[in-house]
Amino acid sequence: MPVPARPRQRQSVQETRPSRAVLSAALVVTAAGAAGAVALAPETARTWVAGTAIVAWACMAAVATTASVRLRRALRRAEARSGELEMTKNNWMQHGAETDQLVNTTLPAIARQLAHGTSADDILAGTPTPSDPYLRRVLHLFTSEVAESARRAAEARSEIERMLRERDRWMSELERLTIDTMPAAVTLLREGNSAETVLAKLDWPENPLLRSPAESFIRELARSERRSAAAQAASAKALSRVQAKTVSMLADLREMQERHGADVFGDLLRLDHSTSQLGLMTDRLALLMGGRSSRVWNKPIVMESILRGAVGRIAAYQRVRLHNSSKAAIAGFAAEGVMHLLAELMDNAANFSPPIDEVHVYVEERSAGLVVTIEDSGLKMSDAAMRRAEEAVSGQVTDLASLQGTRLGLGVVGRIAAKYGISVNYRPSSRGGTGVVVLLPPQVVAQQREPVAADRARPGAEVTAASPAPAAAARVRPQVVAPADAAP
C-alpha cells in the first residue's frame, strides 16, 4: 500500500524556500546599515569603523551566499526526493490496484475457466498481464498449477468412472455366472456332458478373475460327477446281481415249500420272509443308485395281494392290520413299484411307533383313484420333521447326501411316486401318531378281467395281517429280470 508523506514535512520544505530577492535585499539593508554606522562614527575612528564594517559585511555576504547556495542545493535535493516519493507512491498505488484486480477478479476468473476445460495458454493469452514482474510470475504460476490440478482431477474422475463401469460389468457377469451359467453347467454335467462340452456350450465371463475359478470348478465337478456316476453304476450292477440271486433264492424256497412236509415248512417260511426283507433292501439301494426293481409283473395284481406283498417285506408284519374291501387291481407295469412304496411307508410307520402298537392300513376307492391311508399311534412328528418328510416323498430330493439314514426309504418313495404320478401326503393321525395318505392315480389302476388263482404262493412271501408267520398271498408268477451282466 502507498504511504503518503506527512503534511508537516511538506510545509517545512515550502517554508525553507527563500527567494534570491530576499537575500539581495538583506545584503543591501546590511550595507546601508554599515554605511550609516561609518557616517555616524567620529572622524578619528571612521576609518577603523569603515574597515570593520566592510569586513563584517563581506563576511556576512560570504556566509549568506554560502548558506543560500547550500540551501538551494538542499531544496533541489528535497524536490528530487519529493518527486521520487511521489513516483513511489504512484507505483504503490498502481501495484495495489493490480494486486486487488489480480486477487479479486483475475484469479477467480482463471479458476472458473480452467474448471470448464479451457487451456492455460488460451487463458493467459486473453488475460491482461500485470506490470509488476512478481505479479506476472504469480499469475503464470497460479494458472499452471490450477491447470495441472484440473487435469489431474479430470483424469481422476475419468478413472473413477472407468472403474465404476468396470465394476458394474463385473457385477453383471458375476450375477449372470451365479444365477444362469453355473446352474445350467451343473445341470449339463449331471446329464452326462463332459467338462469341455459344457465350457464350450455356455457363455462364460471375460474377466479372468471370474472365468478361471469357474472353469476350475466345472472341471472338478465334472470329475466328481464321473466318479459318482461310475460308483453308482458299479453299485447298481452289483445290486442287480444281488437282486437276481434274491429272486432265485425265493423261487428255490417256494419249490422247497412244495416238496417238503409240515415239519420244515415253518422254517422255510421264516427263511422266505428274511429273504423278502433282503430283497426290499436291495431294491431300495438299487432304486437310489438309479437302477430298477428286480421283478416285473405281466398281469394286473389285485389290491389285496399288493397289500399282503408289501406287508410280507417288512420285519414287523405281525403289527400291521389291513382294512381293504376294494376289488380293484394295479396294472402290471406299476405293481412292483406300488408294492415297494407301500412297504417302505408301512416299515417307516412300524419303526417309529411303539413295538406294542399296531399300524392300520385302509383302502378306499374314489373317483380320483385308490386312496391308501397308513396310520400309526407313535409320537407326532414336529412341523419341521413333517416338512422334511414331505420334501423326501415329493421326488424333488435327488441328492443322497441330503437324506438321513432313516430317510432313505422315503427317498425311494419319492422316486417311485414321481415315476408313476402317485401323490403322498402326511397329516396327523386320528390314532395320535402320524398318517400318510397315498393316492394311486387311475393310470396305474387296472380292472380285473379274469379270476385270480388262489392255489400257489408268490416267491415274495407276502403275509396276511393276522397270521403269525408269512403266508402266500399273491397268485401271479413274476417275471424275473436278470441284470445285463449276469451269467446265463
Side-chain angles (χ1 to χ4, degrees), residues 164-175:
L164 290 176
R165 290 193 299 271
E166 191 75 12
R167 185 205 64 181
D168 294 340
R169 187 172 71 254
W170 288 7
M171 291 297 294
S172 177
E173 290 184 351
L174 180 60
E175 183 178 3

Side-chain angles (χ1 to χ4, degrees), residues 223 384 394:
R223 192 177 299 109
S394 64

Side-chain angles (χ1 to χ4, degrees), residues 124-321:
L124 291 176
T127 302
T129 304
S131 59
D132 189 358
Y134 293 102
L135 294 181
R136 287 198 299 270
R137 180 174 178 80
V138 168
L139 176 63
H140 287 81
L141 183 61
F142 174 83
T143 304
S144 60
E145 289 296 329
V146 174
E148 181 67 18
S149 299
R151 183 185 63 81
R152 292 176 181 175
E155 292 179 355
R157 286 194 298 270
S158 176
E159 183 68 17
I160 290 174
E161 292 176 357
R162 184 188 66 80
M163 293 177 67
L164 290 176
R165 290 193 299 271
E166 191 75 12
R167 185 205 64 181
D168 294 340
R169 187 172 71 254
W170 288 7
M171 291 297 294
S172 177
E173 290 184 351
L174 180 60
E175 183 178 3
R176 179 170 52 84
L177 177 67
T178 55
I179 296 177
D180 299 329
T181 308
M182 295 303 292
V186 172
T187 302
L188 291 175
L189 289 175
R190 289 180 176 174
E191 290 176 354
N193 294 276
S194 65
E196 299 302 328
T197 302
V198 173
L199 292 175
K201 184 178 293 187
L202 298 178
D203 185 17
W204 298 94
E206 298 178 358
N207 185 6
L209 296 178
L210 297 177
R211 186 184 185 94
S212 179
E215 291 181 353
S216 300
F217 171 78
I218 292 302
R219 289 191 172 89
E220 187 63 29
L221 183 60
R223 192 177 299 109
S224 300
E225 288 293 327
R226 287 197 304 270
R227 288 197 296 264
S228 175
Q232 287 192 4
S235 301
K237 219 176 261 189
L239 288 171
S240 64
R241 293 185 177 182
V242 175
Q243 288 173 324
K245 292 296 183 181
T246 303
V247 175
S248 177
M249 288 175 61
L250 289 173
D252 293 340
L253 288 172
R254 186 194 61 208
E255 294 177 0
M256 294 170 71
Q257 291 171 10
E258 294 175 352
R259 288 199 310 266
H260 297 283
D263 51 345
V264 295
F265 187 74
D267 295 335
L268 292 176
L269 284 180
R270 282 191 295 272
L271 184 58
D272 184 282
H273 182 59
S274 299
T275 307
S276 297
Q277 295 179 59
L278 177 62
L280 177 66
M281 288 186 288
T282 55
D283 283 353
R284 176 190 299 169
L285 294 176
L287 290 173
L288 290 175
M289 293 297 176
R292 57 186 180 182
S293 300
S294 59
R295 289 171 286 268
V296 176
W297 304 89
N298 52 13
K299 291 183 179 180
I301 307 298
V302 294
M303 195 62 196
E304 183 70 20
S305 297
I306 293 290
L307 294 175
R308 293 180 180 275
V311 174
R313 299 184 183 189
I314 67 175
Y317 64 92
Q318 293 180 339
R319 294 165 48 202
V320 180
R321 295 294 178 263

Side-chain angles (χ1 to χ4, degrees), residues 112 174 197 213 234 249 262 268 277 348 375 381 385 432 439 454 458 471:
R112 287 193 297 270
L174 180 60
T197 302
M249 288 175 61
L268 292 176
Q277 295 179 59
N348 188 70
E375 292 188 341
M381 297 176 64
L439 175 60
R458 186 185 66 81

Side-chain angles (χ1 to χ4, degrees), residues 20 25-26 81 110 115 123 209 216 224 264 344 357 378 390 393 413 442 444 449:
R20 291 182 181 180
R81 296 291 178 84
I110 290 176
I123 292 175
L209 296 178
S216 300
S224 300
V264 295
E344 293 287 359
D357 290 341
E390 291 277 2
V393 300
V413 171
V444 301
R449 297 184 179 178

Side-chain angles (χ1 to χ4, degrees), residues 376-436:
D376 62 63
S377 55
L379 296 176
K380 289 185 178 180
M381 297 176 64
S382 63
D383 294 339
M386 190 168 291
R387 283 195 302 270
R388 290 194 297 268
E390 291 277 2
E391 292 176 357
V393 300
S394 64
Q396 300 176 358
V397 180
T398 59
D399 188 4
L400 296 181
S402 62
L403 294 175
Q404 302 176 1
T406 57
R407 303 290 181 184
L408 291 179
L410 298 183
V412 175
V413 171
R415 297 197 179 192
I416 296 175
K419 180 178 180 180
Y420 297 109
I422 301 172
S423 173
V424 181
N425 296 284
Y426 279 81
R427 62 170 176 79
S429 172
S430 59
R431 298 179 179 274
T434 303
V436 184

